[in-house]
Amino acid sequence: MNGTRVKLDVALTIDSATVLSHTESAVAVIDVLRATSTVSKALHSKASSVFPVSGLEAAKEAAMTLAPALLCGERLGVRPEGFDLGNSPLEYGEDAVAGKKLVLATTNGTKALDRYSDARLLTAASLLNATAVAEYLLSTGRDMILVCAGQDGTFGAEDAICAGMMVERMIKEGVLMTDPAWMALTAYRACRHDLAGSIKKCDHAGYLIEEGFEQDVEYCSKADILNVVPVATVLEGRTAVVRA
Ligand code: MLT
């Protein structure tokens, strides 16, 4: 923990959190399109837990071990054959997931959750629950890293915009921003008057719209509609995300 003022860093790509040690910090993984939006929606719809997994085979194995559990995820944005649910947050209503364990494997978002599973404290944030997670992180009193999951190790603007929104909620408390945190804040302020229109201009949004997921892009652009904070813990010997 920082002895003086709390520091706030943004990793604009998955591996660029260099200023602070993530094992000593409170970390939020952000994958607006769509993994952390899906995690947030699932927990808001009363799923009991979400087990984030990197690979599809690992997901199948986890779902068998954790049975009964729903097998969920995507490759190239689409539900893999034999999976119960894809990665559209709109599929994760109470009727589908309430009271259930979910195993979720996505291309970037759950990989990022896996990558940071040894953080001192790990959460999942999206535009849907940005303020709730920002307030939770601040309440820990720890240094904070907002990790943008992006695409295959590269930058995704929608995640940086979400990080910037969270930074804005946090600077009111007088935390020390790193340069990437300040850049994310600047990006958010440039487009907050039209978040949905701005998110639509991002590369991955364009891909999802072409694949028929425009409704997902619109849904994932809604700020603060879910008052839920997904936090990582260990259940049945595996990393799981549950409601705080
Ligand atoms: C990912 O984890 O890469 C995304 O959530 C992909 C998607 O849009 O389903």
Side-chain angles (χ1 to χ4, degrees), residues 26-238:
V27 172
V29 164
I30 301 169
D31 185 12
V32 168
L33 299 174
R34 297 167 288 175
T36 53
S37 298
T38 295
V39 169
S40 304
K41 178 70 163 79
L43 293 177
H44 190 263
S45 297
K46 304 188 174 70
S48 62
S49 48
V50 180
F51 292 81
V53 175
S54 295
L56 297 188
E57 290 311 312
K60 288 179 196 168
E61 182 272 325
M64 281 204 311
T65 310
L66 295 164
L70 292 178
L71 180 57
C72 314
E74 59 73 36
R75 280 300 179 264
L76 297 174
V78 178
R79 176 171 60 87
E81 209 180 316
F83 276 46
D84 300 305
L85 296 173
N87 192 30
S88 165
L90 300 175
E91 291 178 73
Y92 289 73
E94 281 194 36
D95 51 335
V97 302
K100 295 186 179 159
K101 292 186 267 190
L102 314 179
V103 176
L104 181 65
T106 73
T107 311
N108 299 285
T110 59
K111 257 185 213 150
L113 285 166
D114 203 23
R115 157 89 174 75
Y116 285 91
S117 60
D118 58 347
R120 185 69 183 75
L121 186 148
L122 179 63
T123 65
S126 64
L127 285 168
L128 304 175
N129 62 342
T131 299
V133 177
E135 286 172 355
Y136 180 80
L137 292 177
L138 268 179
S139 75
T140 69
R142 295 194 172 274
D143 290 338
M144 296 167 284
I145 310 173
L146 311 182
V147 176
C148 299
Q151 298 295 320
D152 302 319
T154 67
F155 177 78
E158 68 278 14
D159 297 333
I161 290 167
C162 179
M165 177 176 165
M166 294 174 71
V167 171
E168 184 164 85
R169 302 300 186 259
M170 290 162 159
I171 52 163
K172 285 179 193 157
E173 308 291 327
V175 300
L176 286 177
M177 277 187 288
T178 62
D179 277 6
W182 173 70
M183 287 303 291
L185 175 65
T186 304
Y188 168 68
R189 285 182 170 164
C191 61
R192 67 178 157 194
H193 62 282
D194 181 18
L195 267 187
S198 303
I199 299 294
K200 262 190 191 162
K201 288 182 189 147
C202 299
D203 289 344
H204 190 54
Y207 174 77
L208 287 173
I209 290 167
E210 267 177 30
E211 292 298 309
F213 294 113
E214 183 160 5
Q215 275 192 316
D216 282 6
V217 175
E218 283 166 5
Y219 180 76
C220 294
S221 303
K222 293 179 197 281
D224 289 338
I225 60 166
L226 302 180
N227 187 16
V228 63
V229 178
V231 292
T233 185
V234 176
L235 291 178
E236 301 184 52
R238 295 169 185 270

